[in-house]
Amino acid sequence: MSTEPALMSLTAVAQAIASKKFSSREVTQSCLDRVAQWQPRLNAFMAIEADAALKAADAADAALAKGKSAGALHGVPLAHKDMYYDEGHVVTCGSKIRRDFVATTTATALQRLKDAGTVRLGSLQMVEFAYGPTGHNPHYGPVHNPWDVDRITGGSSSGSGSAVAARLTFAALGSDTGGSIRLPAHFCGVTGLKTTVGRVSRAGAMPLSQSLDTVGPLAQSVEDCALLLSLMAGADPADPTAIAGPLPDYLAATRQSIKGLTIGVPTAFYVDDLDPEVARILDETLAVLRREGATIVQVELPEQRQLTAGCQFVLTTEAAAFHKRWMIERPGDYGAQVFMRLQNGLAVSGVSYLEAMRWRGPALAAHNAAVAGVDAMIMPVAPVAAPTIAESDVGNSPDAEAVIQRLTRFTRPINYLGLPSLSIPTGFTQDGLPVGMQVVGRSFDEAMILRIGAAFQRATDFHERVPK
Amino acid sequence: MTKPMAKEIKAMAEITGVPVDADVAGRIAHSMAPAFEGFAAVAGTLPFDLEPATFRLVQAAKVSK
């Protein structure tokens, strides 16, 4: 166990506070010290609330001294993507338009973490309105990758990826509509869980696309993600799309062996045109899973480009509909790229949008048939490690959409199908950049992908490495 | 599936209430062309009785190895 509390995992630090090995103040101060050290280089935080955090930590310590624990995360300081409404706090959504927006409600997912005892450190940077995969933000500046500050974090949960990687927060909520949790997890070398559509309530989370939006955590380890999911998942009267029913024991799943499981690797699309280092790391990942007892088989998936196209129709149309009023009233207050991408939704007719919505069922059925012989699939999150901030700063140039589509080509089909996907750090390039793989499961079977990811992390230490 | 041309996008944007000029319409047509090409094999082929909520049914169906 490290002597610097901020370097511990979420589950370890929660236990350390509960057992009074460290006080919440000591842990919170440790995180704030790292924030002070890294924030000038990373720009990962939108707001740092040091005094309030220490006051809340003291209250948590006082409660614990009286034998009162709020829950599994009592006294643990966290910061989240700045799109989760938190009553009384400014929630910018990474935008100029909402620079001064004060939330009057609290997001259900966030409230459930607060109910478990968390302390608010502040809020984390993000791509404007969560609409972009790189981490650039024209209003608040780009977020930097702690493994190489000249490179992108990925987006849209850019601050979440950067802050968790640099150990400024033990975990962070992100959101994933087209890859926005998995891409920062991949580029920053942390673990990220995109949940099944319907697993976690979206009430109080800024909307981008109601059919595709998902809430999920980024954290150091799979075990941490399992703990957070177990606290957040389940039905919510405020969000009728959140599915009711019994929840699996996600933490128990992380302790299970993968011996006897069958894991599929796509024969095409996800293995095409990979950077050689990503291809090498995919092979090494498969070797680890084999050593842990899984059988690896090749799986021929249905045509993925159609899924990507369907995802784009749904996402662009729904995003444009959410933003229509501001597109008319405040066009100049958007960044150029986000406004350009919102305008793309104007090209999709109502009939085309509904065709894309109607096809989701048959497309998921075809996917389920293709993966019937395996417990989960594994594939790269992106074909490359983190590009530089300069080379990916495409703004609203005519080919910007093509650049964005290339970065998200392995994530969007999963969003269209609504499937859960866990991004885990699986290796490093020769330049020291992290590379992740995504374990994709069946609808609502987060337990299986957590099980596979945890087995991989028991056999490797990529998730424990900390940028200098 | 026919992909919309700049002139058509300009008209659609106007009807939607978010008008764009010809240059922007051309840029949108360029950006969205791959999506229309990608979805071409699906467009116009879906069965009559298929509605979007089918997705929820497929999601909820028990699938085991």
Side-chain angles (χ1 to χ4, degrees):
Chain A
M1 189 178 286
S2 166
T3 54
E4 188 177 353
L7 298 181
M8 299 168 75
S9 72
L10 175 75
T11 45
V13 83
Q15 288 164 9
I17 292 172
S19 65
K20 300 182 183 171
K21 179 179 171 61
F22 290 118
S23 66
S24 175
R25 171 172 269 269
E26 288 172 314
V27 171
T28 303
Q29 188 62 60
S30 177
C31 289
L32 290 170
D33 289 346
R34 288 187 71 81
V35 171
Q37 176 193 349
W38 279 92
Q39 173 67 4
R41 283 179 283 165
L42 299 183
N43 191 30
F45 270 71
M46 185 69 80
I48 302 164
E49 298 164 7
D51 292 343
L54 290 169
K55 193 175 169 188
D58 287 341
D61 288 333
L64 202 57
K66 292 179 187 165
K68 293 177 185 170
S69 171
L73 297 177
H74 185 91
V76 175
L78 295 180
H80 304 292
K81 186 175 185 177
D82 197 23
M83 56 165 272
Y84 287 95
Y85 298 177
D86 193 351
E87 187 177 358
H89 292 273
V90 170
V91 182
T92 67
C93 304
S95 69
K96 180 179 178 183
I97 288 174
R98 285 204 146 176
R99 187 185 288 271
D100 301 314
F101 167 71
V102 178
T104 55
T105 58
T106 298
T108 299
L110 180 58
Q111 186 61 54
R112 289 177 178 175
L113 297 183
K114 292 172 87 164
D115 291 344
T118 59
V119 166
R120 179 183 162 101
L121 271 177
S123 59
L124 297 174
Q125 258 264 43
M126 58 182 284
V127 173
E128 181 181 12
F129 290 119
Y131 205 8
T134 60
H136 290 86
N137 185 313
H139 310 296
Y140 302 98
V143 183
H144 300 259
N145 190 317
W147 294 97
D148 178 345
V149 293
D150 291 330
R151 293 182 183 270
I152 65 166
T153 55
S156 64
S157 309
S158 49
S160 301
S162 181
V164 172
R167 307 298 192 252
L168 313 185
T169 177
F170 297 98
L173 287 179
S175 66
D176 197 316
T177 305
S180 287
I181 287 174
R182 289 161 290 160
L183 288 165
H186 157 71
F187 289 130
C188 294
V190 302
T191 307
L193 176 62
K194 178 220 171 286
T195 52
T196 309
V197 170
R199 177 54 88 203
V200 179
S201 166
R202 286 102 50 99
M206 179 213 79
L208 177 61
S209 160
Q210 75 270 14
S211 300
L212 305 173
D213 288 343
T214 56
V215 171
L218 294 93
Q220 197 184 121
S221 71
V222 174
E223 186 184 27
D224 293 350
C225 288
L227 173 59
L228 291 164
L229 180 62
S230 67
L231 294 169
M232 294 189 294
D236 176 16
D239 180 0
T241 69
I243 304 294
L247 295 170
D249 185 338
Y250 296 116
L251 278 167
T254 65
R255 294 189 281 270
Q256 288 185 281
S257 159
I258 59 169
K259 196 171 180 182
L261 296 187
T262 306
I263 301 172
V265 184
T267 55
F269 188 76
Y270 296 95
V271 292
D272 299 337
D273 304 320
L274 296 181
D275 178 272
E277 296 223 72
V278 175
R280 167 183 62 80
I281 290 168
L282 174 60
D283 288 342
E284 291 169 358
T285 303
L286 299 179
V288 171
L289 294 171
R290 280 193 196 95
R291 280 202 300 276
E292 292 303 300
T295 300
I296 306 294
V297 298
Q298 292 211 311
V299 173
E300 190 173 342
L301 294 172
E303 172 59 51
Q304 299 292 291
R305 285 172 188 82
Q306 293 167 4
L307 303 179
T308 303
C311 182
Q312 198 173 355
F313 278 5
V314 174
L315 174 50
T316 57
T317 309
E318 292 184 354
F322 274 118
H323 283 269
K324 180 179 171 183
R325 180 175 170 181
W326 286 333
M327 290 174 76
I328 295 168
E329 294 177 355
R330 305 183 64 175
D333 288 339
Y334 284 99
Q337 185 181 93
V338 167
F339 192 66
M340 173 202 83
R341 299 190 72 206
L342 289 170
Q343 287 176 319
N344 286 346
L346 303 172
V348 183
S349 71
V351 173
S352 295
Y353 165 73
L354 277 168
E355 276 190 305
M357 288 297 290
R358 292 171 70 220
W359 191 55
R360 287 183 90 194
L364 180 57
H367 174 87
N368 287 344
V371 302
V374 301
D375 294 289
M377 296 290 294
I378 189 159
M379 55 192 75
V381 177
V384 294
T388 65
I389 289 172
E391 73 185 303
S392 56
D393 189 11
V394 290
N396 62 344
S397 68
D399 291 322
E401 190 63 36
V403 171
I404 289 163
Q405 293 296 322
R406 274 198 293 277
L407 275 180
T408 58
R409 74 186 165 111
F410 295 163
T411 52
R412 289 189 174 218
I414 312 303
N415 292 89
Y416 184 70
L417 298 174
L419 296 168
S421 177
L422 178 72
S423 176
I424 49 173
T426 51
F428 285 81
T429 66
Q430 289 186 341
D431 292 337
L433 297 174
V435 169
M437 297 291 155
Q438 55 179 334
V439 186
V440 181
R442 303 188 201 288
S443 302
F444 300 109
D445 197 6
E446 282 85 0
M448 177 59 74
I449 58 176
L450 292 167
R451 177 180 171 183
I452 294 169
F456 182 86
Q457 292 191 339
R458 278 194 297 277
T460 60
D461 70 351
F462 301 117
H463 63 293
E464 293 174 346
R465 298 187 191 177
V466 183
K468 303 296 181 197
Chain B
M1 185 179 206
T2 307
K3 59 186 178 193
M5 309 303 286
K7 194 171 77 176
E8 292 149 352
I9 289 171
K10 192 170 183 309
M12 287 170 71
E14 202 155 313
I15 291 165
T16 304
V18 190
V20 297
D21 63 29
D23 286 349
V24 170
R27 198 271 310 149
I28 295 172
H30 175 72
S31 294
M32 293 298 289
F36 281 93
E37 287 160 7
F39 206 69
V42 177
T45 68
L46 299 178
F48 174 74
D49 291 323
L50 181 64
E51 67 144 300
T54 305
F55 174 70
R56 294 287 180 191
L57 291 176
V58 179
Q59 252 199 330
K62 185 78 181 164
V63 183
S64 53
K65 190 170 67 169

